[in-house]
């Protein structure tokens, strides 16, 4: 596929993304290619904007040529996808759905850390996940960081940990998925989501205190600074009420825009072998998809949308069954 200049654009708030929005993020030529032509897929996935190439070239300076993944190519081999959003905004739902699309993703969920003091164990687990993702050779990996990241100190931890493991120098990129609300916080919507998941959540259960917790979190949140935004290689922003399928589509399109080597994995007609990493990960870091089912091949963005809807319905059925067992 020919390199295509793609315009990055924040998805519109309060409505589902339209087809032109996705078209601006990914070349329509890609969807027309034969999914059996892996060389063409790899070429298309490596197409990135000129600004992305300049960043990659700058970060490649001084990189270790002996490391498993290097920044010698424009296309990042692994991407850390960091969520940011208040309780009930749909971070975990999005991560689980992305794991169905991009098999082998590592889900680093702070709520699953079995410790009263979560900060350091979470950072240690994140570091281990970064190292595993960089060394994995069989299939592309995403590292899905499921955390509110609503405070400056949280985001600083993220950047410091990625620097510690030389994430950018070794071919990694960082993408922000921001879930917020313009204007008044939709308290009732968030409370309904929290109520629906019930006891299935590890740390936050339905109670009379939820209203106060949500408002307190919102008041204490630190807006992202321009300096912070510069440290992310890509970003998408959604209203918390946007359908999770549309959120996943926009993330997939942004991964393509970044030139990630696995961005079109969902178009490859083969069984994806999701191998378990070596025993370097804590038990609470999951390899997705947990079902190990063979991904259904989609030929283009519209087909991916329909496939995502079916996968989301399957995930909801699994959650319903889990809630029934917990009653």
């Amino acid at each position: 596929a020919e390199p295509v200049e793609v315009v990055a654009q924040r998805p519109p708030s309060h409505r589902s993304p339209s087809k032109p929005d996705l078209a601006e993020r990914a070349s329509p030529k890609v969807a027309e290619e034969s999914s059996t032509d892996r060389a063409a897929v790899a070429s298309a996935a490596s197409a990135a904007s000129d600004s992305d190439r300049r960043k990659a070239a700058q970060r490649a300076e001084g990189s270790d040529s002996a490391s498993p993944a290097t920044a010698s190519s424009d296309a990042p081999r692994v991407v850390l996808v960091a969520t940011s959003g208040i309780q009930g905004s749909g971070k975990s739902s999005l991560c689980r759905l992305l794991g169905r699309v991009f098999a082998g993703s590592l889900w680093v969920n702070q709520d699953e850390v079995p410790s009263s003091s979560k900060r350091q164990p979470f950072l240690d687990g994140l570091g281990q996940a970064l190292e595993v993702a960089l060394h994995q050779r069989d299939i592309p990996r995403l590292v899905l960081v499921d955390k509110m990241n609503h405070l400056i100190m949280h985001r600083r931890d993220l950047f410091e940990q990625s620097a510690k493991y030389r994430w950018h120098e070794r071919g990694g990129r960082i993408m922000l998925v921001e879930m917020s609300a313009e204007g008044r916080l939709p308290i009732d919507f968030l409370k309904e989501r929290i109520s629906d998941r019930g006891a299935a959540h590890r740390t936050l259960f339905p109670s009379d205190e939820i209203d106060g917790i949500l408002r307190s979190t919102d008041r204490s949140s630190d807006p992202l600074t321009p300096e912070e935004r510069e440290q992310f290689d890509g970003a998408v922003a959604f209203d918390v009420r946007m359908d999770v399928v549309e959120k996943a589509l926009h993330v997939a399109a942004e991964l393509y825009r970044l030139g990630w080597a696995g961005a079109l994995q969902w178009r490859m007609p083969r069984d994806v072998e999701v191998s378990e990493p070596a025993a370097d990960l804590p038990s609470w870091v999951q390899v997705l998809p947990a079902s190990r089912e063979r991904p259904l091949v989609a030929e283009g963005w519209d087909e991916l949308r329909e496939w995502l809807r079916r996968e989301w319905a399957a995930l909801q059925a699994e959650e319903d069954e889990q809630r029934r067992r917990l009653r």
Side-chain angles (χ1 to χ4, degrees), residues 210-249:
I210 292 296
D211 190 293
I213 292 173
L214 291 171
R215 295 183 189 279
S216 175
T217 302
D218 185 51
R219 286 194 301 269
S220 66
S221 297
D222 298 322
L224 271 83
T225 65
E227 292 75 19
E228 285 181 298
R229 291 191 182 277
E230 281 293 315
Q231 297 185 68
F232 290 103
D233 301 284
V236 287
F238 309 118
D239 187 277
V240 295
R241 290 159 289 201
M242 181 180 283
D243 178 69
V244 66
V245 168
E246 300 302 323
K247 291 177 182 175
L249 270 174

Side-chain angles (χ1 to χ4, degrees), residues 71-86:
S72 59
S73 169
D74 290 344
R77 184 170 183 272
V78 284
V79 180
L80 185 160
V81 178
T83 63
S84 175
I86 197 170

Side-chain angles (χ1 to χ4, degrees), residues 14 29 44 61 141 158 162 170 173 195 201 212 224 226 249 272 279 302 305 309 319 324:
H14 306 294
K29 293 183 180 180
E61 294 180 3
R141 300 267 190 197
L158 184 69
S162 65
R170 298 166 70 185
R173 298 293 181 268
S195 176
H201 196 270
L224 271 83
L249 270 174
V272 177
D302 288 337
R305 176 184 279 111
R309 292 199 187 283
E319 291 178 351
R324 279 194 293 270

Side-chain angles (χ1 to χ4, degrees), residues 80-101:
L80 185 160
V81 178
T83 63
S84 175
I86 197 170
Q87 301 97 327
S89 57
K91 301 180 297 296
S92 296
S93 295
L94 177 61
C95 287
R96 292 173 65 202
L97 190 54
L98 288 173
R100 298 273 182 137
V101 183

